[in-house]
Amino acid sequence: MRTVNDVDKILKEYSLYLVLEKGVSENTREAYVRDVSRFLGWLASGGDGSDYMPSTLQGVETDTLRIYLGSLNDVGIAVRSRARIVASLRSFFAYLAIEGYIEASPGELLESPKLGLYLPEVLTVEEIDSMIESIDYSKEECQRDRAMIEVLYGCGLRVSELVTLEISKIYADEGFLVVRGKGDKERMVPMSGTSIEEIAGWMKDRARLKVKPGDENILFLNRRGGRLTRQRAFQIVKTLAEAAGIRKNISPHTLRHSFATHLLEGGANLRAIQQMLGHESIGTTQIYIHLDSSTLRSDILMYHPRNHRR
């Protein structure tokens, strides 16, 4: 069995393993390495202070991991974050076992906290239209913002996919674009006529910008000619929602949820929605069934005669 002498070196090797062997996205790689680093810091500082707390990685058992996760719960770390940390620790210790640093992974028996059903906010078509109408047309970036909202909603993109969308991957004549999603996997997404028109309008404005080297093929740019950050895209969506008087908790992901929900309500096949969203598992997409069911229930409560007061 290999010895664990240089933890920093192992972390770097694990980081490469996530990218080269597992094909995870940059965001996932950063999150997993960060989660593992925090655990290692906790372990190095003595864990919970118990006499039986291991001092090395090779001494870590399933109970050690459970104690650590319990400490996260005690300080109020959200369930979703703890679920991701469980996935990070499972992945890391599985890697250690594969590489021969430990005999068996203590993470195999680790249970993930139950997330429960989370129903995200959904915008109506009218609310999305009002966001577009609230754009300040005196600003230079007004056409860019119109195109962004239409692409987020019309194509159901993640914000990370939006800000890295390449001009060469837009096939306007054929009516679709190619996006690089999680795990560096590409997928084709149909485009609405409105999205195509708004992108064409933005391309005319974009031609007047002095584009920064390396960003020549990036569709959405800031005023200085550089690619937009995810944070800036988030701010743009929040600002437009506030200007439209929408009081819901809005983010770029809200437009993606709205896209999927409206497709389902319109009769689209769940498998087709799964492919368009880039979900690996149909289980991830099935949340939209619950969203549609909740709408159906509210309609029944509103219109069924048994629920009316006499």
Side-chain angles (χ1 to χ4, degrees), residues 18-82:
L18 288 174
V19 176
L20 301 178
E21 298 292 332
K22 304 301 288 184
V24 304
S25 69
E26 178 61 16
N27 289 341
T28 300
R29 184 197 66 78
E30 288 180 358
Y32 276 30
V33 171
R34 184 173 60 248
D35 291 341
V36 172
S37 296
R38 286 174 178 167
F39 168 74
L40 295 176
W42 175 83
L43 192 66
S45 65
D48 68 343
S50 304
D51 293 337
Y52 57 84
M53 188 61 56
S55 57
T56 66
L57 274 174
Q58 288 160 323
V60 171
E61 299 177 351
T62 304
D63 283 345
T64 313
L65 300 179
R66 285 174 178 154
I67 290 170
Y68 175 66
L69 292 168
S71 70
L72 297 180
N73 180 52
D74 292 341
V75 297
I77 301 298
V79 175
R80 245 167 224 286
S81 295
R82 281 187 280 126

Side-chain angles (χ1 to χ4, degrees), residues 72-212:
L72 297 180
N73 180 52
D74 292 341
V75 297
I77 301 298
V79 175
R80 245 167 224 286
S81 295
R82 281 187 280 126
R84 189 202 64 235
I85 292 167
V86 168
S88 304
L89 294 174
R90 278 180 184 156
S91 168
F92 178 65
F93 282 98
Y95 166 76
L96 292 181
I98 290 169
E99 293 298 316
Y101 288 109
I102 56 178
E103 291 184 1
S105 170
E108 287 183 3
L109 300 177
L110 211 55
E111 295 180 355
S112 184
K114 297 194 182 302
L115 295 175
L117 178 63
Y118 167 64
L119 299 182
E121 292 277 17
V122 175
L123 294 170
T124 64
V125 176
E126 291 74 21
E127 285 174 326
I128 292 168
D129 288 342
S130 68
M131 284 178 64
I132 294 172
E133 290 166 4
S134 71
I135 292 172
D136 185 350
Y137 289 94
S138 67
K139 293 185 177 180
E140 295 177 4
E141 62 271 21
C142 63
Q143 183 57 43
R144 180 203 65 189
D145 293 351
R146 283 183 66 97
M148 282 176 54
I149 298 300
E150 286 296 348
V151 171
L152 280 170
Y153 172 60
C155 302
L157 301 192
R158 300 178 178 93
V159 67
S160 57
E161 296 167 347
L162 178 86
V163 298
T164 57
L165 185 58
E166 297 178 341
I167 297 171
S168 60
K169 297 296 177 69
I170 297 170
Y171 301 89
D173 292 341
E174 292 81 3
F176 71 89
L177 56 81
V178 176
V179 64
R180 191 177 299 278
K182 287 187 175 181
D184 215 29
K185 294 178 181 176
E186 289 190 335
R187 69 181 188 278
M188 291 174 55
V189 181
M191 299 173 67
S192 67
T194 305
S195 296
I196 293 170
E197 289 175 8
E198 297 298 347
I199 288 175
W202 160 238
M203 287 299 292
K204 293 177 183 177
D205 291 350
R206 185 187 182 282
R208 294 193 287 269
L209 293 174
K210 184 178 180 181
V211 182
K212 289 186 176 181

